[in-house]
Every structure is written in structure tokens, then in C-alpha cells.
Amino acid sequence: MINLLKSKIQELIVSESSLDYPGSISLPLELIKTANLQEFEQVFVNNKTNGARINTYVVISKKAGFVSLNGAASHHFKKGDIIHVLSYRLVGEKNVSKHKPILVRADLGNRVIEAKPYFI
């Protein structure tokens, strides 16, 4: 088994950063579904604004377009930061050539504008 990129949500804008929360990243349901994520799934979050990188888990945001970094992550992510959210999956070596990660792009309101197979 090889751990490969499953999906990448590119250039979200942080709506809120809340220390008084046990942890996680809150994402809108539309983004979760489009990126083929599950609630409580582990994700990696890269902060394009300041270079910080964390791993955490996904929870569903209560508001459309609302992205929040919670708990200890709030020390590294602030409102207005631009982030990328990445998920990975284990793929058998025989299926590596068939594997196509999903790239999800969002607008300034954190709404899906495009979802397509990821190609470099």
C-alpha cells in the first residue's frame, strides 16, 4: 500500500480562528462532499500566508462558506489567511496508475467553483 493524495482543496480563506474549541478544521458541507471527505477524517492544512502546516480532522461548519481553524491551530492560522486542505488514502500498488486525486478550487466566499482530477 502507498499513501497517495486523495484530494486537495486549494486557496480557502480562513473565516475565523478560535482557541476556545477542542480542535479541528470546520469546513462547509459543499467542500467536504466535493473533496470526498468524511466528518472526522484526518486532513493536513497548509497555510499559504505564513507557511504553517498542521494535521487535524474535519468537522462540518454551521455556516455556508465558513472555514474555521480551532484549538491549538488558532495560534498558526488567523482570519484572512489563505490555506490548502489535503487528504490522503492508501492505494494498492497495482492501482497506483489508476488513482486520480481531486483538486477543488473555491472562490473568495469559500464556495466550490471547480472540481477536477489533479494533474501537475
Side-chain angles (χ1 to χ4, degrees):
M1 302 296 281
I2 299 173
N3 202 21
L4 298 177
L5 181 69
K6 180 175 88 169
S7 60
K8 178 181 181 185
I9 307 173
Q10 192 165 312
E11 302 214 349
L12 295 176
I13 298 174
V14 175
S15 308
E16 178 182 76
S17 181
S18 176
L19 181 60
D20 296 322
Y21 190 90
S24 75
I25 182 169
S26 301
L27 294 173
L29 186 58
E30 175 192 28
L31 287 170
I32 291 170
K33 287 182 176 182
T34 304
N36 194 25
L37 297 173
Q38 302 296 316
E39 188 169 24
F40 307 114
E41 181 174 350
Q42 180 182 24
V43 292
F44 295 82
V45 185
N46 300 334
N47 189 327
K48 183 178 177 181
T49 304
N50 69 20
R53 294 171 174 252
I54 65 160
N55 64 336
T56 188
Y57 60 94
V58 173
V59 296
I60 299 170
S61 177
K62 292 179 173 43
K63 299 182 219 171
F66 194 80
V67 173
S68 178
L69 274 294
N70 307 307
S74 68
H75 292 288
H76 305 285
F77 296 83
K78 303 296 179 213
K79 182 177 181 176
D81 285 356
I82 298 170
I83 64 170
H84 306 298
V85 179
L86 299 92
S87 67
Y88 296 85
R89 74 186 313 165
L90 291 172
V91 177
E93 289 189 41
K94 292 179 182 179
N95 295 315
V96 168
S97 63
K98 299 175 200 165
H99 176 74
K100 301 289 184 243
I102 299 168
L103 174 63
V104 179
R105 289 187 38 237
D107 64 13
L108 296 176
N110 295 326
R111 292 177 300 268
V112 174
I113 56 172
E114 182 178 48
K116 62 182 183 179
Y118 187 90
F119 295 104
I120 297 175

